[in-house]
Amino acid sequence: MSTLTSTAVTAGAPAATATRHRLDDWRPEDPEFWRTTGAPIARRNLWVSIFAEHVGFSVWSLWSVTVLFLGPEYGIDPAGKFLLTAVPAALGAVLRLPYTLAVARFGGRRWTIISALLLLVPTVPMAVLLEPGVSYGTLMVLACLTGVGGGNFASSMANINLFYPSRLKGRALGLNAGGGNLGVPAVQLVGLAVLATAGAAYPRLVPAVYLPLIVLAALAAARWLDTVPGARNEPGALREAARDPHTWVMSLLYVGTFGSFIGFGFAFGQVLQLQFAERFPTPVDAAWLTFLGPLVGSLIRPLGGHLADRLGGARVTFWNFVAMAAGASTVLYAARERSFGLYLTGFIALFVFSGIGNGSTYKMIPAIFRARAADAVVAGRDPEAAARWARRMTGSLIGIAGAVGASGGVLVNISFRQSFLGSGNADAAYLVFIGWYALCFAVTWVVYRRPRAGQLAGV
């Protein structure tokens, strides 16, 4: 497999030489070109990409709200519902790597159109088939298919990365990621609106709302997106990254941050109904709070990157996992004491710190390879070759960590499922989360924070 890089044309006047939607002369690192031509084009592509990715994230998260509609007439127990929210996370994780590679294979504009239209594959049958009497096997297939929305994040980030100069990539990718993540609370607000107006008898209205938005995303991509033709997949880059220990360390940490965010986002509404059934007797009661955690987790993500810039990514990530362990401990204590206020506070804290951790772990990845490249230069390696290697490995690690991290959403929902099956409550799941966050802050300390010879500087 390979990783995505770009080759820029460096000669010519500061104007974009392009056929329709194809930027044959694209030089974002040239200050004059960027000021006169590049910035407006990049901004247009960014906003369209954010919208398309946002719709993709919403489709990926459809079952986080759909399960609230599945009352007794559907004959599905809580364990079955957690499985329905686990399978979209699984397919979304699997698709992230091929979606990243598809940008270079098909072109950013074309693949955005294709990936948007693929969202119709789960939503059209959901809008037709969601009603009492539908088989559980059919629901599992429909839930799994919504995982195509999870792949959209990876291809969108890979595409937007090609448009911006290095000094502005962080902000652009942060906006792109944050806009996509907001699709989770957005679909839950749509579900709340349907529950509050039409009622729980009409789950098919939720995917139906997204049908015109999906078509609009594809049309917007066709009308306003461009393709940077210099993008290419470097042969062997992913294989090289897969052999690097830091790839798997950072993937483990990203399971703890993004995996927690997407897993809790999918499961929060169900857990509220099960943990405090007397307080949430109807789906609409739970839906009023379901969107809150994913909303704050999405909005807080840029703060994690900002803190990592100021304080260091490993330091922020370490203390963030300490805070996540404390948050999970608070939730466990509140659940046992039946204290809803403390329970909600602890769960919102988990969303906040998962969002901060998303930003800080992503900031660590380029810092790791910059530090190793600097050490290689001191040892006599050519600086330009070392910088190229760092960029190549950074791109590959981000792709792998994004795919592995999304699998955390599966683990969260399976943990809840097994906990409720075994004991009728979520206590065992919370203990698993506490243990995982403890493992993550221990690994962060040992690998990146512990003073020792050969410690990577600036991570």
Side-chain angles (χ1 to χ4, degrees), residues 63-65 67-68 78-79 81-82 85 188 260 262-281 283 285-287 289-290 331-332 334-335 338 340 343-344 346-347 350-351 411-420 424-430 433:
W63 284 85
S64 69
V65 68
V67 292
L68 300 180
K81 291 182 181 180
F82 279 118
T85 52
Q188 292 167 351
S260 294
I262 199 66
F264 292 148
F266 284 9
F268 190 34
Q270 292 184 78
V271 174
L272 283 177
Q273 280 195 294
L274 292 169
Q275 201 82 60
F276 295 92
E278 72 285 352
R279 186 178 286 267
F280 302 103
D285 295 314
L289 288 174
T290 298
V331 169
L332 174 61
R338 307 300 298 164
F340 175 70
Y343 182 88
L344 183 61
F347 230 119
L350 283 174
F351 276 108
L411 301 178
V412 167
N413 282 271
I414 293 299
S415 296
F416 278 127
R417 178 182 187 272
Q418 295 306 117
S419 185
F420 278 106
N425 59 50
D427 290 3
Y430 301 138
F433 303 150

Side-chain angles (χ1 to χ4, degrees), residues 427-446:
D427 290 3
Y430 301 138
L431 289 171
V432 169
F433 303 150
I434 293 168
W436 186 266
Y437 301 143
L439 173 65
C440 287
F441 70 65
V443 168
T444 305
W445 170 263
V446 169

Side-chain angles (χ1 to χ4, degrees), residues 23-415:
L23 303 175
D24 292 306
D25 177 17
W26 185 248
R27 293 172 281 115
E29 302 294 346
D30 180 334
E32 181 64 15
F33 174 90
W34 180 255
R35 184 183 64 82
T36 59
T37 304
I41 295 174
R43 280 195 299 268
R44 184 185 71 237
N45 279 267
L46 174 61
W47 294 121
V48 174
S49 177
I50 288 173
F51 174 63
E53 186 196 337
H54 177 91
V55 174
F57 244 95
S58 293
V59 170
W60 192 22
S61 310
L62 268 172
W63 284 85
S64 69
V65 68
T66 301
V67 292
L68 300 180
F69 289 82
L70 304 182
E73 64 274 19
Y74 286 86
I76 305 173
D77 63 9
K81 291 182 181 180
F82 279 118
L83 205 55
L84 287 173
T85 52
V87 290
L91 183 61
V94 169
L95 290 179
R96 283 192 162 198
L97 278 179
Y99 266 55
T100 299
L101 302 177
V103 171
R105 176 65 179 84
F106 297 98
R109 173 178 170 271
R110 182 182 301 171
W111 182 250
T112 303
I113 298 169
I114 294 171
S115 62
L117 292 175
L118 284 173
L119 301 175
L120 294 172
V121 174
T123 50
V124 169
M126 282 179 68
V128 174
L129 298 174
L130 282 180
E131 61 181 12
V134 63
S135 71
Y136 184 72
T138 299
L139 294 179
M140 281 288 288
V141 171
L142 294 176
C144 183
L145 289 175
T146 59
V148 296
N152 286 22
F153 173 85
S155 57
S156 179
M157 295 289 277
N159 186 43
I160 288 302
N161 183 61
L162 301 174
F163 283 88
Y164 279 82
S166 296
R167 70 183 188 280
L168 299 177
K169 285 183 188 292
R171 179 176 178 273
L173 293 175
L175 287 171
N176 200 51
N181 289 356
L182 284 170
V184 182
V187 74
Q188 292 167 351
L189 284 171
V190 170
L192 172 61
V194 171
L195 284 167
T197 54
Y202 298 96
R204 63 178 63 185
L205 292 180
V206 181
V209 167
Y210 279 91
L211 296 180
L213 295 178
I214 291 168
V215 174
L216 182 60
L219 291 175
R223 173 64 180 84
W224 288 299
L225 282 189
D226 302 297
T227 292
V228 178
R232 60 189 178 91
N233 292 319
E234 289 192 14
L238 285 177
R239 284 196 299 272
E240 182 180 359
R243 292 192 293 266
D244 193 298
H246 289 281
T247 295
W248 302 109
V249 171
M250 292 308 303
S251 294
L252 180 147
L253 301 184
Y254 203 55
V255 167
T257 56
F258 181 76
S260 294
F261 170 80
I262 199 66
F264 292 148
F266 284 9
F268 190 34
Q270 292 184 78
V271 174
L272 283 177
Q273 280 195 294
L274 292 169
Q275 201 82 60
F276 295 92
E278 72 285 352
R279 186 178 286 267
F280 302 103
T282 67
V284 71
D285 295 314
W288 279 107
L289 288 174
T290 298
F291 75 93
L292 185 59
L295 178 64
V296 296
S298 300
L299 294 177
I300 205 73
R301 178 171 182 153
L303 177 62
H306 177 70
L307 290 174
D309 283 340
R310 291 177 58 86
L311 304 174
R315 177 185 296 179
V316 173
T317 298
F318 171 80
W319 287 109
N320 191 74
F321 277 122
V322 172
M324 291 185 75
S329 300
T330 300
V331 169
L332 174 61
Y333 174 80
R336 289 176 170 175
E337 297 297 317
R338 307 300 298 164
S339 172
F340 175 70
L342 186 60
Y343 182 88
L344 183 61
T345 300
F347 230 119
I348 296 301
L350 283 174
F351 276 108
V352 168
F353 291 118
S354 68
I356 291 174
N358 284 340
S360 66
T361 50
Y362 250 57
K363 285 287 185 178
M364 286 176 67
I365 292 172
I368 288 168
F369 292 111
R370 280 199 303 269
R372 293 172 66 186
D375 291 344
V377 170
V378 171
R381 187 173 183 181
D382 175 65
E384 186 175 339
R388 283 197 306 270
W389 174 83
R391 288 193 297 269
R392 167 188 170 103
M393 294 294 286
T394 294
S396 300
L397 198 160
I398 285 174
I400 294 173
V404 175
S407 68
V410 184
L411 301 178
V412 167
N413 282 271
I414 293 299
S415 296

